[in-house]
Amino acid sequence: MAAGTLYTYPENWRAFKAQIAAQYSGARLKIASNPPAFTFGQTNRSPAFLNNFPLGKVPAYQGDDGFCLFESSAIAHYLSNDALRGSTPQAAAQVLQWVSFADSEIIPPASAWVFPTLGIMQFNKQATEQAKEELKRVLAVLNQHLNTRTFLVGERIGLADITVACSLLWLYKQVLEPSFRQPYPNVTRWFVTCVNQPQFKAVLGEVKLCEKMAQFDAKKFAEMQPKKEAPAKKEKVSKEGGKQQQQPQQQEKKEKKKEDKKPAPAEEEMDECEAALAAEPKTKDPFAHLPKSSFVLDEFKRKYSNEDTLTVALPYFCDNFDREGFSIWYAEYRFPEELTMAFMSCNLITGMFQRLDKLRKNAFASVILFGANNDSCISGIWVFRGQELAFPLSDDWQIDYESYTWRKLDVDSEECKTMVKEYFAWEGEFKHVGKPFNQGKIFK
Ligand SMILES: N[C@@H](CCC(=O)N[C@@H](CS)C(=O)NCC(=O)O)C(=O)O
């Protein structure tokens, strides 16, 4: 069973294909879509990323075993099972047919029509009208095919349905208003069936079909253009919503006027993906609602890093811990049988810490790898701001936490006191870990 990380930006429909396929197949997929794990425009241009994915594009997949793959359809294929891929040569070929159909027949006109409505591409009336006509043809083909079928290939949902439905996602959300989709009832019936499957819902959430065709969002488009150094320009919006010729300010020189009359050079506009990312709402502090705490986590961390654990840091922790403002959790890695080389398991732990860097001000953890190569387990003590597990509070933090079981400890219990002491000091009996691990070597 495949297990690995999918690098993408949030809400990327290309990544959705792989994510939904993984929901069906049971492949274990971590999503790296936000800092610190992944910053679109930075991480994907770093030498380390380019070494694995030379185009620097996302989605990109890296297996826990190091296997790297780019191109969203290939990733979705890899994360599928045989049932999704088509279990006969004919079915598999038909799946490929619909995947190619989505790439070459749906995506180009869908992008031309939908992106201006999201304000991430300039509006061009002719291009939009042409896209609408192309999509009518595409929808008619699908409608005809689905006239006698529930799904695109075979009797069950497969990769063809996942891929084509994801390609139609933004169309159905933004522009396919009831009158436009009315001639294609089989397509809408099939699309609604797909997106209401639990495996789709787990990734897409509730998909609300468009009620009124969205138009070009000129304001958003203007806002999302990168700031230029040139003086401010006035901008008018035509009745159709198209941006008219930009007018330079009067005091600018004639030469400058000439320049400004040219359409903006392509490289100055955001590409569709950067614009989609810029459109993401800014995340707010997930702990903002909590009352101020008397326990200064930073101060404890300073003592823990610089002074003796048992004589200084631990007593400070016990004396100052704020049970209303913080909670203590025991975490155990769920798949110890998959841990092989110790250095890889250590990377797993440190990778998790790196991905959770933004939690630094609100959490502390001491995690230990017990045992030896090919026979080990991981567990730790986590201290979190608030009384709930912090991970679900932010999409940024959800990559690793499902690989662990989490148990909130009663701060007054002997169990908690012992665990805190042992994990903080990295020494002790670790009775709960059991033999042979608690007698074996401890990698810290
Ligand atoms: N055919 C590719 C397209 C991937 C693609 O164009 N990705 C864009 C984001 S939507 C990207 O990563 N662009 C970054 C760049 O070009 O630097 C796929 O389906 O995976």
Side-chain angles (χ1 to χ4, degrees), residues 15-83:
F16 288 161
K17 297 185 282 184
Q19 290 175 252
I20 297 169
Q23 288 286 329
Y24 277 97
S25 69
R28 285 215 318 277
L29 195 57
K30 297 168 210 154
I31 308 299
S33 59
N34 281 299
F38 180 80
T39 306
F40 186 61
Q42 286 178 18
T43 316
N44 56 316
R45 292 182 190 156
S46 67
F49 191 92
L50 293 170
N51 194 33
N52 290 331
F53 309 105
L55 287 174
K57 292 192 174 190
V58 294
Y61 170 85
Q62 181 160 25
D64 293 347
D65 56 2
F67 175 61
C68 290
L69 201 58
F70 57 91
E71 283 297 330
S72 56
S73 297
I75 299 168
H77 178 93
Y78 180 67
L79 295 174
S80 293
N81 52 25
D82 285 346

Side-chain angles (χ1 to χ4, degrees), residues 330 332 336 370-372 375-377 428-441:
Y330 172 66
E332 198 171 296
F370 297 90
D375 189 17
S376 56
C377 64
E429 292 183 83
F430 294 100
K431 277 191 184 146
H432 62 285
V433 176
K435 289 179 184 173
F437 295 131
N438 62 357
Q439 297 179 338
K441 191 171 178 188

Side-chain angles (χ1 to χ4, degrees), residues 206-224:
E206 203 67 47
V207 176
K208 199 168 168 300
L209 299 195
C210 163
E211 279 162 16
K212 193 165 183 312
M213 190 181 290
Q215 303 297 323
F216 174 50
D217 192 336
K219 187 166 170 275
K220 198 161 168 196
F221 177 72
E223 278 168 13
M224 293 198 359

Side-chain angles (χ1 to χ4, degrees), residues 239-419:
K239 272 189 206 142
E240 296 82 24
K243 193 157 80 175
Q244 289 183 335
Q245 186 64 59
Q246 292 174 332
Q247 299 298 329
Q249 288 186 324
Q250 279 176 349
Q251 68 265 29
E252 286 181 83
K253 291 178 190 160
K254 276 185 180 170
E255 276 171 43
K256 183 77 188 127
K257 274 189 185 174
K258 262 188 196 169
E259 255 176 45
D260 280 350
K261 281 186 177 171
K262 285 185 225 154
E267 65 271 19
E268 284 192 13
E269 289 191 359
M270 284 188 198
D271 75 15
E272 74 201 47
C273 309
E274 283 164 340
L277 189 63
E280 281 294 307
K282 295 280 166 281
T283 50
K284 49 179 191 195
D285 176 8
F287 296 97
H289 62 288
L290 293 177
K292 215 170 167 340
S293 172
S294 56
F295 180 46
V296 186
L297 193 59
D298 267 355
E299 184 55 29
F300 161 67
K301 288 189 181 183
R302 257 190 300 277
K303 293 203 184 309
Y304 186 76
S305 306
N306 302 328
E307 306 198 47
D308 182 63
T309 301
L310 287 177
T311 59
V312 181
L314 196 60
Y316 179 88
F317 182 83
C318 298
D319 292 345
N320 294 284
F321 182 73
D322 162 24
R323 62 178 58 223
E324 310 293 328
F326 285 82
S327 53
I328 303 178
W329 297 73
Y330 172 66
E332 198 171 296
Y333 189 65
R334 288 170 55 204
F335 312 105
E337 65 285 353
E338 290 177 12
L339 298 174
T340 53
M341 303 303 283
F343 77 90
M344 289 168 76
S345 307
C346 288
N347 289 345
L348 197 75
I349 300 170
T350 48
M352 178 177 186
F353 284 179
Q354 276 163 16
R355 286 184 279 275
L356 295 173
D357 192 52
K358 275 200 184 154
L359 257 178
R360 196 173 352 143
K361 286 202 171 320
N362 295 292
F364 167 83
S366 180
V367 177
I368 295 176
L369 172 69
F370 297 90
N373 287 343
N374 300 310
D375 189 17
S376 56
C377 64
I378 299 172
S379 55
I381 287 292
W382 290 71
V383 178
F384 286 116
R385 188 81 171 86
Q387 297 302 316
E388 303 300 324
L389 269 187
F391 304 110
L393 293 176
S394 167
D395 289 345
D396 297 4
W397 300 334
Q398 301 193 8
I399 296 180
D400 306 83
Y401 98 102
E402 283 180 349
S403 301
Y404 289 79
T405 53
W406 297 89
R407 186 159 63 84
K408 192 176 181 179
L409 299 179
D410 171 1
V411 292
D412 291 322
S413 67
E414 281 311 311
E415 178 197 32
C416 179
K417 288 174 191 158
T418 307
M419 280 186 172

